[in-house]
Amino acid sequence: MRRLLLGLVAVALPMRVSTAQDGIAAGRQGGVAIVCRHGMTNSFDENEMTLRYDDAATQRRLTERGERQADAMARAFRSLGITVSEVIASPMQRTRRTAEPFGPVVLDSSWHTRGSDYTGPKRDQRRELLGRPVSSGVRLIVSHIGTMQSVLPIRGRPVDEGDCVVVRPSGDGRFDFVDVVPWRAW
């Protein structure tokens, strides 16, 4: 009976189950984009009508735990030998603060979408950046779950605050999915 159950489980699982180790190994190797969801936040409800990029009081912010989480992730990247050569974040305060421990941050509004329409030119810009080869180290992008779901094959996969998706750019707006790495795995 046990052998039958194990056989049924093996048939139900995909041929190759990705683990966080795949994403970590790819990060060490370099040449990948790592797209992370911002760190842990409070439950402040943002109002799209009054939201301003330059006013943190109008936005949901990282909690103290989220600030520590971002610092811990940056330290873990360094201890794992993952060289971050480029840091990009949505202009929201929580993404910028998550990205800052990794190095100088370039704010890119294509990584934040107001409302629920994730299509159009911004989506095209995100896909282009994900497909653009990384010459050395890794490209780190910090964004939001809806924006990430609009361009990454992660539907149905849990991506909690601080978790990251690793992709290998192949040019022309194309990329290969490598792994989802929970923030604690780094």
Side-chain angles (χ1 to χ4, degrees):
M1 180 64 159
R2 183 174 179 188
R3 201 178 307 169
L4 174 64
L5 286 175
L6 289 175
L8 288 174
V9 169
V11 169
L13 293 175
M15 291 302 285
R16 181 176 181 279
V17 176
S18 184
T19 68
Q21 296 307 311
D22 295 335
I24 292 169
R28 284 179 164 157
Q29 180 183 358
V32 296
I34 300 176
V35 186
C36 300
R37 188 173 172 195
H38 58 76
M40 296 172 192
T41 59
N42 58 28
S43 60
F44 177 77
D45 189 24
E46 290 172 336
N47 180 340
E48 288 285 327
M49 301 302 289
T50 60
L51 182 120
R52 290 185 28 212
Y53 289 146
D54 63 344
D55 185 357
T58 67
Q59 304 172 33
R60 198 170 76 223
R61 297 176 294 283
L62 293 183
T63 60
E64 286 183 33
R65 190 171 174 202
E67 296 275 354
R68 288 191 307 270
Q69 177 189 36
D71 290 336
M73 286 174 61
R75 281 192 311 275
F77 272 48
R78 286 189 290 276
S79 71
L80 288 166
I82 298 172
T83 304
V84 177
S85 57
E86 184 179 7
V87 183
I88 299 168
S90 115
M92 298 295 283
Q93 189 268 357
R94 61 187 173 268
T95 55
R96 182 181 52 80
R97 293 291 299 142
T98 301
E100 286 174 344
F102 293 90
V105 179
V106 173
L107 299 179
D108 182 343
S109 65
S110 71
W111 289 95
H112 177 255
T113 302
R114 289 178 182 250
S116 59
D117 182 6
Y118 297 99
T119 62
K122 282 186 168 187
R123 181 177 187 262
D124 296 341
Q125 291 169 352
R126 291 189 295 270
R127 289 192 67 78
E128 189 280 324
L129 182 62
L130 288 173
R132 189 183 313 152
V134 179
S135 57
S136 67
V138 303
R139 174 181 300 128
L140 179 73
I141 301 167
V142 182
S143 189
H144 312 271
I145 190 62
T147 307
M148 292 169 67
Q149 288 174 333
S150 74
V151 290
L152 295 165
I154 56 174
R155 295 227 183 258
R157 291 182 170 101
V159 179
D160 293 327
E161 292 178 322
D163 292 354
C164 304
V165 179
V166 182
V167 298
R168 186 167 308 285
S170 54
D172 296 328
R174 294 186 324 263
F175 54 86
D176 296 316
F177 173 83
V178 176
D179 211 349
V180 173
V181 181
W183 76 268
R184 284 186 172 94
W186 296 108

